[in-house]
Amino acid sequence: MKTNFKKIATDGILTNNPTLKLVLGTCPTLALTTMAMNGVYMGLAVTFVLICSNVIISLLRKVIPNQVRIPAFVLIIATFVTILRIVMDKLLPDLYESLGLYLPLIVVNCIILARAESFASKNGIIASAADGLFMGIGFALALTTMGAFREILGAGKIFGVELWAFRIEFFSSSAGAFFTYGLFIAMFAFISSLISKKKALKAAKAAKATVATEEVKEDK
């Protein structure tokens, strides 16, 4: 069966964005979005684990017994998280420290387990790799934009670069994290609703034009 990369990309980044639509991976979203760069780093880490685990789970989907599929998925995910932690600890110790506890918690990140269960275990390797990539991009974009928003307002910076002395301390706090998350979900839902209405209107006009054309042909 031909892989629909356009649909997979649209689902991961927009239609089923794991952070803003499915509301998965909430803990790192709230904790790490104080800075835009944290979103980039965490997004890359999750994307790596998503792609690798999706590929292996897809490869073994007909071998893993149904009764133990969830423990098997967790074991596969944990393996790649461990590899990631070892590499980062050796090569990027500062980044490893900045991500802190949320790096090992990728093992139980609902985004990765959800994609393993709903997609990778039912689709081919290439499609599963693409799903992991675009879900990871959707997650990274959401965290990065929220991090940029909070960093600009809460610290007067963007990607660590000083912009101005103006600060709103609220956005650097836990309450600010919840407020920002809710605001972004609401904005995403509003924009998605507008896009859906526009598509429905376009489809209705196309259908009406088709009916009108058929009626003209019948009259002739």
Side-chain angles (χ1 to χ4, degrees):
M1 190 172 91
K2 189 177 179 181
T3 303
N4 189 341
F5 289 106
K6 183 178 179 181
K7 184 179 185 304
I8 292 173
T10 304
D11 278 350
I13 298 173
L14 297 172
T15 312
N16 287 314
N17 184 283
T19 305
L20 300 176
K21 178 68 175 181
L22 304 179
V23 196
L24 300 174
T26 307
C27 289
T29 300
L30 293 171
L32 296 175
T33 52
T34 51
M35 295 172 58
M37 193 56 74
N38 285 348
V40 174
Y41 291 146
M42 192 63 185
L44 289 174
V46 169
T47 302
F48 168 77
V49 177
L50 265 168
I51 294 171
C52 295
S53 59
N54 268 17
V55 166
I56 298 301
I57 289 166
S58 175
L59 187 65
L60 300 176
R61 69 187 187 280
K62 295 180 181 178
V63 177
I64 299 173
N66 190 55
Q67 297 87 342
V68 296
R69 70 186 187 283
I70 300 301
F73 295 166
V74 172
L75 180 62
I76 292 167
I77 294 166
T79 300
F80 287 109
V81 172
T82 303
I83 292 170
L84 179 67
R85 289 182 64 195
I86 291 171
V87 172
M88 288 182 66
D89 188 27
K90 293 296 180 183
L91 302 180
L92 302 165
D94 292 339
L95 177 57
Y96 180 79
E97 288 295 326
S98 71
L99 294 181
L101 177 66
Y102 296 97
L103 195 59
L105 282 179
I106 292 176
V107 175
V108 289
N109 190 308
C110 295
I111 299 171
I112 300 172
L113 198 54
R115 299 321 295 170
E117 172 67 9
S118 65
F119 196 94
S121 63
K122 299 170 185 174
N123 291 275
I125 296 171
I126 295 175
S128 297
D131 178 75
L133 173 63
F134 289 110
M135 279 288 166
I137 290 173
F139 178 70
L141 286 174
L143 260 67
T144 304
T145 51
M146 277 190 278
F149 178 81
R150 290 182 65 196
E151 188 177 6
I152 289 169
L153 294 179
K157 300 177 181 179
I158 181 68
F159 290 105
V161 178
E162 191 83 28
L163 296 177
W164 48 63
F166 178 73
R167 307 280 192 277
I168 303 176
E169 297 292 334
F170 170 76
F171 287 100
S172 297
S173 67
S174 300
F178 280 98
F179 177 82
T180 301
Y181 198 10
L183 178 64
F184 270 70
I185 289 173
M187 289 171 57
F188 185 82
F190 177 72
I191 293 169
S192 297
S193 176
L194 289 179
I195 292 171
S196 297
K197 287 178 181 177
K198 187 175 180 180
K199 285 182 178 179
L201 185 62
K202 188 176 179 181
K205 286 182 178 178
K208 188 179 289 187
T210 302
V211 171
T213 302
E214 289 178 351
E215 288 177 350
V216 169
K217 287 181 178 178
E218 288 177 359
D219 290 340
K220 289 182 180 180

